[in-house]
Amino acid sequence: MIYSNIPAAQTLVLYFKLRGVKNIVISPGSRNAPLTISFTKNSFFKCYSIVDERCAAFFAMGMAQHLQEPVAVICSSGSAMLNFYPAVAEAFYSDIPLIVVSADRPSYRIDIGDGQTIRQENVLEKHIGYSANLKQDVSHATDSISKFGKSLLNEKQEEIQSHNEREIAKALSVAFDEKYPVHINIPFEEPLYGRAEGASVQIKDKGEYLEQKSSNEENWVELAKVWKSNPRKMVLVGVNQPNAIEAEVLENLAQDPNTLVFTETTSNLHHPEFFESIDSIIAPIEKSKNRNELFKALQPELLVTFGGLIVSKKIKAFLREYGPKQHWHVDTKKANDTFYCLTKHIKTNPNQFFKRVVSENINPTNDYKAFWESKKNKYEAKRDVYLKEIPFSDFSVFDRIIKNIPKGYQVHLANSSTVRYAQLFPLDASLKVFCNRGTSGIDGTTSTAVGSSIYSKEPTVLFTGDLSFFYDSNAMWNNYMRPDFRIVLINNSGGGIFRILPGMEETEEFETFFETSHELSAKHLANMYGFEHINAQNKTELELGLVEFYSKSNRPKILEVATPRVLNNKILLGYFDFIS
């Protein structure tokens, strides 16, 4: 095997191999040459070249999200690493083990006016599980060190090697065991391109560096008693991995007559007894004359949550005003007090919790679930009626594109309007849904979907709005696009979400600085990146376009659907009026 002749680079590669970190995303540069040489010349690793650092980090994060294992992203020194930060923050809040590796300049080159230098140590510390700052090897580039960094010679190479091994081992333990992103910063001095046949260092297996946490023994008998005796229970599920919850658990929850199960598109949970469109339940109550009475009828006594962040602003507002007596969050790692009423963090996985707590054959003590099921049936019937009455728009387009997703596809959703529209329509249970809800940003959506598609057994389709798409258009600048990758671009010529938020006004300032109206099309980008481009501007073109869109091809495809910018918000808000 060929390695860089710099010990720190060899050490990192050997530890990655030891822990099984196989996927390496590299943004080209010079300072990271020792790492690029070492990883690309070792057949154990699968390396990907992504030029744009922001895209590279989201690409790696999408891969880690799909595989549920650490993936590394590597960059040169200077501002390059700062472009990783959006993906790092998303990974931090979404519990995705992204490993950031940044090549750095020697300490004596920083803050003296040298090029491509910034203060890289701990720069990601607010949104990282661990920052490993390695020391510069003193056995390499000894002439430069003797001239400019004599103080480094106070420490022996053996001590530096021990420190670096310890830091790398600790970072990898956090990534693997805590599912946090980690940062490894490595200073290199020139020359950077030296090579060696085989590694000159021998690493020691540092083992486990994390403190072993004591198991959290719950009083399951008492928890089961509270559950069984409670006549008004609500289970609310946020972002959840596909196929994470066992069928037995889902069925027991569905059959409990005193429990409402509210799910979201990102929950990846499906059952006819569950409530899939939260906003369609709450919006009519908001508009009702007896608003307070209905909200009290919906108010649970026990709220149980699990999964990641919640999309629906309406359920958050409701539970903050009409809080339950008890709120339990089930998660092995953390419990967010989203509704300001958290009473218990149950540190286990949802399958274990519900198997131990939910009883079978519970007799109904009231009509809590039955009452709200009747409401659900009414809004579902009214939604079908409304769809027949409205013109071509975002609302009708989402109905059609969601109904036409082939079974088994991996589905990625952009944020803002896209994920909120998706919440209003049922998805087939065979679909696997992902969305970057950790920070809920529009940056990196396409890059995440592309990275996730690499190891997916199923084809991938991304639903995105125009601002999200154009913002992350460099995501298509790579050699890893699968021919079955699909993008549905809803182009309503601006940030449509701002038209449904409070404060919308028809002014030039609003259109320019909030909605950011534009007349861009994806056609030229599609041609540049080798995508097939299909355009649809009405219902007929959409129906024909969808048939062509999912047909087998040698190139990925973009279906660009143009919708009326000034009409979409009226139709969406009109839907909630209609079902009310």
Side-chain angles (χ1 to χ4, degrees):
M1 292 292 182
I2 302 296
Y3 291 84
S4 164
N5 63 353
I6 302 177
Q10 295 181 11
T11 303
L12 183 75
V13 171
L14 292 173
Y15 264 102
F16 274 24
K17 193 171 182 178
L18 176 69
R19 293 301 304 266
V21 181
K22 294 183 178 181
N23 292 288
I24 314 295
V25 181
I26 302 172
S27 289
S30 179
R31 190 60 50 169
N32 58 337
L35 299 173
T36 302
I37 292 169
S38 299
F39 282 115
T40 58
K41 293 296 184 181
N42 193 316
S43 60
F44 176 82
F45 301 101
K46 178 64 175 175
C47 297
Y48 303 84
S49 176
I50 306 289
V51 175
D52 185 317
E53 282 88 1
R54 188 179 69 190
C55 295
F58 276 108
F59 179 95
M61 193 199 73
M63 191 180 292
Q65 179 189 62
H66 179 85
L67 295 173
Q68 290 292 287
E69 66 182 41
V71 172
V73 59
I74 297 174
C75 70
S76 187
S77 65
S79 61
M81 185 188 59
L82 299 181
N83 290 296
F84 286 169
Y85 213 139
V88 170
E90 176 63 36
F92 181 78
Y93 287 109
S94 294
D95 299 325
I96 297 173
L98 179 68
I99 302 175
V100 172
V101 182
S102 56
D104 201 355
R105 304 263 169 156
S107 57
Y108 48 81
R109 304 282 189 191
I110 298 172
D111 288 341
I112 65 166
D114 218 14
Q116 284 190 281
T117 59
I118 65 170
R119 301 171 186 175
Q120 292 184 197
E121 290 190 0
N122 303 316
V123 74
L124 304 173
E125 65 178 344
K126 295 295 184 182
H127 298 95
I128 210 80
Y130 188 74
S131 293
N133 297 300
L134 304 196
K135 294 181 178 181
Q136 182 182 339
D137 296 302
V138 294
S139 61
H140 174 76
T142 54
D143 289 345
S144 294
I145 295 173
S146 298
K147 287 180 182 179
F148 310 115
K150 291 182 180 179
S151 61
L152 298 181
L153 298 174
N154 293 330
E155 196 162 6
K156 296 179 180 180
Q157 177 62 31
E158 292 79 8
E159 296 170 344
I160 292 170
Q161 179 66 23
S162 179
H163 168 86
N164 289 348
E165 288 190 35
R166 188 166 54 250
E167 286 296 288
I168 293 171
K170 177 66 178 290
L172 294 180
S173 291
V174 172
F176 274 94
D177 302 329
E178 295 292 301
K179 302 299 181 185
Y180 271 127
V182 297
H183 177 206
I184 302 173
N185 190 62
I186 313 179
F188 293 126
E189 178 58 283
E190 298 178 15
L192 302 168
Y193 293 87
R195 305 182 182 203
E197 288 279 355
S200 60
V201 301
Q202 290 185 338
I203 64 168
K204 303 176 182 67
D205 186 354
K206 296 295 181 180
E208 180 59 74
Y209 274 83
L210 294 180
E211 293 182 10
Q212 295 294 327
K213 297 180 179 178
S214 59
S215 59
N216 187 58
E217 289 297 329
E218 297 289 348
N219 187 336
W220 295 107
V221 174
E222 182 61 28
L223 291 177
K225 182 179 178 181
V226 172
W227 175 275
K228 186 173 183 179
S229 64
N230 210 302
R232 294 159 62 92
K233 300 182 290 288
M234 180 183 291
V235 175
L236 176 59
V237 189
V239 175
N240 196 58
Q241 281 288 317
N243 304 316
I245 306 302
E246 297 174 15
E248 174 191 349
V249 170
L250 297 179
E251 193 60 37
N252 287 341
L253 276 175
Q255 298 307 318
D256 190 330
N258 303 321
T259 301
L260 300 180
V261 180
F262 279 171
T263 66
E264 298 198 294
T265 305
T266 56
S267 301
N268 286 295
L269 294 182
H270 303 275
H271 195 284
E273 298 285 335
F274 293 171
F275 292 72
E276 294 182 316
S277 181
I278 298 172
D279 287 2
S280 297
I281 287 286
I282 296 182
I285 302 177
E286 294 176 336
K287 297 175 179 294
S288 174
K289 292 181 180 179
N290 56 338
R291 177 182 185 276
N292 187 55
E293 179 183 338
L294 285 171
F295 271 139
K296 285 186 175 180
L298 182 62
Q299 182 179 19
E301 293 184 10
L302 172 62
L303 170 67
V304 176
T305 56
F306 68 91
L309 275 68
I310 300 294
V311 176
S312 173
K313 296 179 73 172
K314 294 184 182 297
I315 192 70
K316 285 186 277 192
F318 159 64
L319 289 171
R320 286 166 183 170
E321 185 176 353
Y322 296 86
K325 293 179 181 178
Q326 295 188 68
H327 172 201
W328 301 347
H329 185 75
V330 182
D331 188 272
T332 57
K333 183 176 177 182
K334 60 188 176 184
N336 293 319
D337 192 9
T338 304
F339 315 108
Y340 304 107
C341 57
L342 184 70
T343 55
K344 191 171 186 60
H345 178 195
I346 300 173
K347 297 179 181 179
T348 188
N349 67 71
N351 285 311
Q352 182 184 22
F353 169 79
F354 287 112
K355 283 181 178 180
R356 293 199 176 198
V357 169
V358 178
S359 303
E360 297 181 15
N361 303 319
I362 298 178
N363 295 321
T365 56
N366 57 30
D367 61 351
Y368 184 53
K369 182 178 179 180
F371 177 78
W372 292 107
E373 275 190 330
S374 68
K375 296 289 186 183
K376 180 181 77 168
N377 294 336
K378 287 179 181 178
Y379 86 66
E380 287 178 346
K382 285 190 173 184
R383 180 179 59 208
D384 294 338
V385 174
Y386 188 70
L387 283 163
K388 295 176 182 178
E389 297 183 358
I390 59 175
F392 189 73
S393 60
D394 282 354
F395 194 91
S396 64
V397 166
F398 269 92
D399 172 61
R400 296 313 305 160
I401 61 177
I402 285 178
K403 286 178 179 176
N404 278 274
I405 306 171
K407 290 183 181 296
Y409 260 60
Q410 175 177 254
V411 180
H412 278 255
L413 300 173
N415 279 303
S416 294
S417 296
T418 301
V419 69
R420 286 176 169 80
Y421 270 110
Q423 297 276 88
L424 302 176
F425 303 97
L427 270 75
D428 188 86
S430 69
L431 303 176
K432 300 176 178 64
V433 181
F434 298 90
C435 182
N436 289 348
R437 291 307 297 175
T439 60
S440 307
I442 68 169
D443 47 351
T445 299
T446 309
S447 297
T448 303
V450 175
S452 180
S453 74
I454 299 299
Y455 284 103
S456 176
K457 294 180 181 179
E458 305 85 8
T460 298
V461 61
L462 164 69
F463 295 122
T464 182
D466 46 295
L467 295 191
S468 297
F469 174 80
F470 291 120
Y471 194 84
D472 193 31
S473 59
N474 273 356
M476 299 179 287
W477 182 13
N478 64 74
N479 296 322
Y480 314 110
M481 302 299 310
R482 286 172 39 163
D484 60 0
F485 189 84
R486 299 290 185 265
I487 299 175
V488 178
L489 165 58
I490 313 298
N491 191 341
N492 51 29
S493 303
I497 192 170
F498 291 102
R499 286 188 163 266
I500 61 176
L501 295 177
M504 191 280 288
E505 54 182 337
E506 293 291 354
T507 64
E508 182 180 348
E509 291 78 13
F510 171 80
E511 291 185 1
T512 301
F513 295 104
F514 287 92
E515 188 181 26
T516 57
S517 60
H518 64 86
E519 297 181 2
L520 298 176
S521 168
K523 182 177 181 179
H524 297 296
L525 280 172
N527 290 336
M528 182 170 73
Y529 289 120
F531 278 65
E532 292 185 28
H533 181 263
I534 304 167
N535 189 57
Q537 300 192 44
N538 54 54
K539 182 179 179 181
T540 301
E541 291 180 355
L542 176 61
E543 296 290 350
L544 293 173
L546 282 168
V547 175
E548 180 184 354
F549 180 66
Y550 286 114
S551 64
K552 190 175 180 180
S553 64
N554 296 320
R555 295 190 294 164
K557 297 181 183 181
I558 297 174
L559 172 59
E560 184 171 11
V561 187
T563 62
R565 178 172 62 89
V566 297
L567 187 61
N568 287 319
N569 63 305
K570 296 180 177 64
I571 292 174
L572 176 62
L573 297 175
Y575 165 69
F576 293 121
D577 288 332
F578 188 84
I579 64 174
S580 299

